[in-house]
Amino acid sequence: VSFTTPDGEELTTQAEAGETVLQVALENLIPGIIGECSGNLSCATCHVYVDDAWIGSLPAKSPDEEEMLENASEEPTASSRLCCQISITDALDGLHVRIPASQR
Ligand code: FES
């Protein structure tokens, strides 16, 4: 999984299938991903913009995720996800996400 940080730095990580993108970010101390609620869908401090090429590979958002995204510190778009809700699979090898500048 690779991340563009709020400062524009590109960081690439190793991830295991079954981990969430939030776990990968926290393990690798990726700046801008806080995960205040530890993946319980009650913050939005794990907001990321998923690259267009990968959007179709992700499971659909739950209504709860949609609702929580409305509380994100930066305007959500069609490519917005809460990264605690993205579980890594082999099909996501190479996933790239951008962390909102507001999460600096
Ligand atoms: S970590 Fe709180 S919603 Fe994802």
Side-chain angles (χ1 to χ4, degrees), residues 18 31 34 40 50 70 81 84 99 102-103:
I34 296 166
N40 289 313
V50 175
E70 297 302 321
R81 296 299 302 255
C84 65
I99 301 164
S102 62
Q103 283 166 222

Side-chain angles (χ1 to χ4, degrees), residues 22 35 37-39 41-44 46 82 84:
L22 172 66
C37 77
S38 306
L41 268 184
S42 53
C43 64
C46 64
L82 295 177
C84 65

